[in-house]
Amino acid sequence: MNMNFPTRIAVRLPLFNAPLLPYFTAHLSIRGVPSIGFVSFSRNHTVPRASFGKKMALSSEKNGVCVENICGVVLPASETHAEEACEALRAGKVIAVPTDTLYGFACDACSLEAVNRIYKIKGRKHTSPLAICVGDVSEIKRFADTEHLPNGLLESLLPGPVTVVLKRGEASILEKSLNPGLESIGVRVPDYDFIRVIARGLGSALALTSANLSGQPSSVSIKDFENLWEHCAYVYDGGELPSGRAGSTVVNLTRLGKYKILRPGSAMVETVAILERHSLVEEAMGT
């Protein structure tokens, strides 16, 4: 019997009570246009065809072919797949998603099991903190203290390729198990529609870190971390990202009227200009 099956076959996790994932082709554009006061440019990603996890199980006694229930299903990073991502996150799973800088691993920041899974996937020490991602700037105050910041500062920086480090504050709804012992938290609002839709749908914060083994180069395409697909419920493909491998600019904003660049990242010059326009002063070295 001559049958033209795709070379990669995958089944959704039993969690979703779904049969064999249909094979389909999709060409979709993902919007992600920086809007934080940086030099504006248009970025439309054409997402390649949907593909599937790397593993195929063979030799069923019944029909000669069987397919494992496996992780690593690759789907386009389009809003039509956002609800599947939310279901996986609610179940404590890890997904891989594109952002406005790099590909990242994401999970529910309030799930200790899921956070531990990310550390295990990356081979990362628990002493290295994770950042969180929220869907909108207005959500940040649920997780961190923003009252000391100048009006309009966060809206000028975000959404965009910036991680702002803030104090958690007494009112933070974050689990104490996330980055234990630290009073601060890094917060992202990427300028990338897909991950923001997921964060809104989850109704919580995502724990977010780069999709790579700890100490290895960051990922600008899903092929860069293909060896880790099997650890993810879904891998969402947004094509090759144009930002290089610099990652986000990380700035500490925990002190009143001060800022400190912790990592130059991909937008340091623009970030510093915005901070100083809001009358913040750079902390002296060693403070």
Side-chain angles (χ1 to χ4, degrees), residues 138-259:
S138 60
E139 289 288 290
I140 296 176
K141 63 180 178 290
R142 295 177 60 203
F143 305 96
D145 182 9
T146 63
E147 292 183 359
H148 65 294
L149 298 176
N151 288 334
L153 174 62
L154 291 178
E155 289 79 4
S156 297
L157 291 169
L158 304 168
V162 180
T163 300
V164 294
V165 178
L166 300 165
K167 291 181 179 179
R168 293 195 189 205
E170 295 298 324
S172 175
I173 66 171
L174 280 177
E175 291 287 331
K176 300 297 184 183
S177 57
L178 180 68
N179 306 337
L182 291 180
E183 296 181 356
S184 60
I185 187 74
V187 185
R188 288 219 63 201
V189 186
D191 192 15
Y192 204 100
D193 288 349
F194 182 63
I195 190 170
R196 294 178 66 193
V197 169
I198 292 172
R200 292 183 193 124
L202 184 63
S204 182
L206 304 175
L208 183 66
T209 186
S210 56
N212 61 311
L213 289 173
S214 185
Q216 296 299 308
S218 301
S219 300
V220 294
S221 77
I222 64 170
K223 288 292 185 182
D224 291 341
F225 60 98
E226 188 172 5
N227 59 317
L228 302 175
W229 289 4
E230 62 184 304
H231 302 294
C232 302
Y234 293 109
V235 176
Y236 291 98
D237 189 358
E240 185 166 340
L241 305 179
S243 67
R245 301 181 191 273
S248 64
T249 296
V250 182
V251 56
N252 188 327
L253 297 177
T254 58
R255 294 185 62 188
L256 178 65
K258 305 284 187 178
Y259 76 87

Side-chain angles (χ1 to χ4, degrees), residues 18-143:
L20 183 66
L21 181 70
Y23 182 77
F24 63 93
T25 301
H27 291 279
L28 299 168
S29 294
I30 302 299
R31 294 181 296 112
V33 181
S35 59
I36 65 174
F38 302 162
V39 177
S40 179
F41 63 93
S42 175
R43 185 175 78 230
N44 292 320
H45 297 301
T46 300
V47 180
R49 291 184 178 187
S51 57
F52 302 92
K54 297 173 61 181
K55 298 180 180 178
M56 181 173 71
L58 300 176
S59 70
S60 164
E61 292 183 1
K62 185 174 182 179
N63 55 17
V65 176
C66 70
V67 183
E68 287 183 298
N69 288 338
I70 63 172
C71 298
V73 178
V74 179
L75 295 170
S78 65
E79 294 184 19
T80 56
H81 296 295
E83 181 54 36
E84 292 166 317
C86 291
E87 289 178 8
L89 294 168
R90 293 184 191 108
K93 305 300 181 181
V94 173
I95 62 173
V97 288
T99 73
D100 53 354
T101 54
L102 305 167
Y103 277 84
F105 291 135
C107 73
D108 183 352
C110 292
S111 168
L112 178 59
E113 176 187 3
V115 169
N116 286 338
R117 185 171 285 122
I118 279 188
Y119 278 106
K120 184 176 181 180
I121 292 171
K122 287 179 64 71
R124 183 174 182 171
K125 295 180 179 178
H126 280 71
T127 52
S128 299
L130 297 178
I132 64 169
C133 166
V134 296
D136 297 284
V137 176
S138 60
E139 289 288 290
I140 296 176
K141 63 180 178 290
R142 295 177 60 203
F143 305 96

